[in-house]
């Protein structure tokens, strides 16, 4: 219930704030005549935005996540490199519903993506290019039936073939900025075996197990020898 209400207040007050800002820029008397209204609108926008971020985004119930110790997943890039989480689980916009348990890891185009967990390559879609509706994705099926998904990879960026067995840490793709995205990143999530939605997971190389938006995390995922 809180989510739609806060989201509406946030979006409506943002439009009002933008309207006032527009007026203030084009008519100097506008600012003087409406100062208190403008401040109030910006305050409502800021407070609703802050409440929204604090209460309506991020992992809802950490007890749903499996323990970090012995997790079969590691961060999907080279050991020693730190990367920023632009969006975490249950984010402001796109990580909802099916994609609730997804992460956006910022990485430059062409970064080598490593398998977060061992498995068999189940599906590869890397024929799309450029920003648009269609996204590239590579799926790896695990022994328990779950699938890891690596999205927005580069045009022809897959480094493996369907059916290949991959080990944790093996290079599987080159990252990109293809599909529904405005910055280069890897959209990563794990889907349950019935493919009804993403599931909460932990990473063994993340200190608290679950990466959070706005933080940097350093991978310990080593390429197999
Ligand atoms: Zn994402």
């Amino acid at each position: 219930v809180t989510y739609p209400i806060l989201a509406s207040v946030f979006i409506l007050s943002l439009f009002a704030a933008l309207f006032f800002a527009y007026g203030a820029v084009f008519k100097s008397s506008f600012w003087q005549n409406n100062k208190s209204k403008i401040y109030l609108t910006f305050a409502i926008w800021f407070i609703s935005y802050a409440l929204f971020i604090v209460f309506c985004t991020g992992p809802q119930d950490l007890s749903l996540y499996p323990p970090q110790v012995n997790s079969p997943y590691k961060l999907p890039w080279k050991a020693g490199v730190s990367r920023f989480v632009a969006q975490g689980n249950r984010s402001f916009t796109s990580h909802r519903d099916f994609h609730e348990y997804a992460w956006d890891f910022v990485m430059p185009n062409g970064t080598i993506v490593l398998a977060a967990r061992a498995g068999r390559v189940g599906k590869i879609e890397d024929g799309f290019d450029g920003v648009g509706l269609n996204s590239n994705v590579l799926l790896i099926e695990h022994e328990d039936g779950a699938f890891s998904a690596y999205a927005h990879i580069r045009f022809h960026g897959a480094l493996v073939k369907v059916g290949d067995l991959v080990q944790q840490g093996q290079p599987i793709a080159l990252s990109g900025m293809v599909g529904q995205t405005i910055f280069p990143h890897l959209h990563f999530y794990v889907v349950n075996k019935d493919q009804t939605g993403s599931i909460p997971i932990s990473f063994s190389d993340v200190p608290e197990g679950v990466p959070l938006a706005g933080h940097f995390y350093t991978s310990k995922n080593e390429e197999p020898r």
Side-chain angles (χ1 to χ4, degrees):
V1 175
T2 343
Y3 170 62
I5 294 174
L6 270 177
S8 318
V9 173
F10 163 62
I11 287 162
L12 288 175
S13 55
L14 175 64
F15 278 117
L18 286 173
F19 169 75
F20 281 131
Y22 179 82
V25 166
F26 289 97
K27 228 172 146 202
S28 53
S29 61
F30 185 90
W31 173 263
Q32 282 306 324
N33 298 338
N34 295 286
K35 224 187 219 171
S36 53
K37 267 187 232 160
I38 294 171
Y39 283 136
L40 182 67
T41 316
F42 273 99
I44 292 172
W45 168 70
F46 182 77
I47 291 165
S48 59
Y49 179 68
L51 287 173
F52 181 81
I53 294 297
V54 171
F55 293 108
C56 300
T57 66
Q60 199 152 22
D61 181 0
L62 281 171
S63 69
L64 295 176
Y65 292 76
Q68 174 256 350
V69 181
N70 299 329
S71 165
Y73 298 93
K74 281 184 181 169
L75 294 171
W77 64 86
K78 203 173 163 231
V81 176
S82 299
R83 299 204 181 279
F84 185 72
V85 180
Q87 285 201 95
N89 293 171
R90 202 171 63 116
S91 72
F92 174 51
T93 52
S94 53
H95 298 183
R96 295 270 164 184
D97 305 317
F98 190 94
H99 288 265
E100 176 171 349
Y101 297 102
W103 288 273
D104 285 347
F105 298 116
V106 179
M107 54 182 74
N109 281 333
T111 299
I112 293 175
V113 176
L114 306 181
R117 180 182 176 186
R120 185 187 292 272
V121 180
K123 183 192 158 187
I124 296 171
E125 174 57 76
D126 69 350
F128 296 113
D129 200 4
V131 173
L133 286 178
N134 298 313
S135 224
N136 292 331
V137 69
L138 188 149
L139 298 180
I140 293 183
E141 187 182 0
H142 306 300
E143 57 186 3
D144 57 4
F147 287 85
S148 295
Y150 304 78
H152 307 309
I153 59 170
R154 207 178 225 193
F155 175 62
H156 289 170
L159 303 175
V160 289
K161 299 187 300 297
V162 171
D164 283 359
L165 286 173
V166 297
Q167 290 177 268
Q168 186 181 53
Q170 188 175 325
I172 52 168
L174 299 174
S175 73
M177 194 177 120
V178 176
Q180 300 183 33
T181 172
I182 50 168
F183 58 98
H185 73 278
L186 180 73
H187 175 87
F188 176 84
Y189 57 101
V190 177
V191 177
N192 63 14
K193 74 165 183 261
D194 302 328
Q195 302 196 49
T196 53
S198 56
I199 51 173
I201 61 140
S202 299
F203 295 88
S204 68
D205 50 355
V206 169
E208 309 295 329
V210 185
L212 299 175
H215 292 70
F216 283 90
Y217 294 92
T218 307
S219 171
K220 290 186 181 143
N221 202 350
E222 304 273 358
E223 281 189 40
R225 288 158 196 279

